[in-house]
Amino acid sequence: MPEGPEVRRSADLIAPVLVGQPLVEVGARTKAAKAWLADEPGRLTGRLIERVFTHGKHLVVQIEGGTYVHVHLMMGGRWFVVAGTPQSRERKE
């Protein structure tokens, strides 16, 4: 399980790529998050990412309009930065 310093390192690496960029696509894995996305279609897409920070082992993404996305990397979670449009899905590591 990623510990606090590892989560902080992840935030430090993805923040320069995400901050100031609009959300193009939003997905979820949990039932509650999927239900929220279904009830609020398009509510987050197009909004700018304002900040990426950590709180303990939790990664938080602040989105324009006062919305926050909470991420817990669980046992082996990770983020990828992809080049180009969402359709290209080329992974940069």
Side-chain angles (χ1 to χ4, degrees):
M1 178 180 302
E3 297 296 333
E6 294 168 289
V7 177
R8 179 75 229 165
R9 185 171 52 248
S10 294
D12 290 344
L13 290 170
I14 65 172
V17 177
L18 296 180
V19 172
Q21 298 299 313
L23 283 170
V24 175
E25 180 180 337
V26 180
R29 290 181 49 198
T30 65
K31 288 181 185 178
K34 287 179 181 180
W36 187 89
L37 289 173
D39 290 343
E40 304 285 343
R43 181 170 174 184
L44 298 177
T45 54
R47 292 190 183 202
L48 296 181
I49 297 171
E50 295 181 334
R51 182 176 172 213
V52 177
F53 61 99
T54 61
H55 183 78
K57 295 181 182 183
H58 304 267
L59 188 78
V60 182
V61 180
Q62 182 177 346
I63 301 167
E64 179 180 43
T67 302
Y68 295 82
V69 174
H70 165 253
V71 178
H72 191 286
L73 299 176
M74 305 305 279
M75 294 299 287
R78 55 187 172 177
W79 283 69
F80 296 98
V81 176
V82 294
T85 63
Q87 293 80 25
S88 70
R89 301 287 186 211
E90 294 176 9
R91 188 185 326 175
K92 286 184 178 180
E93 292 191 45

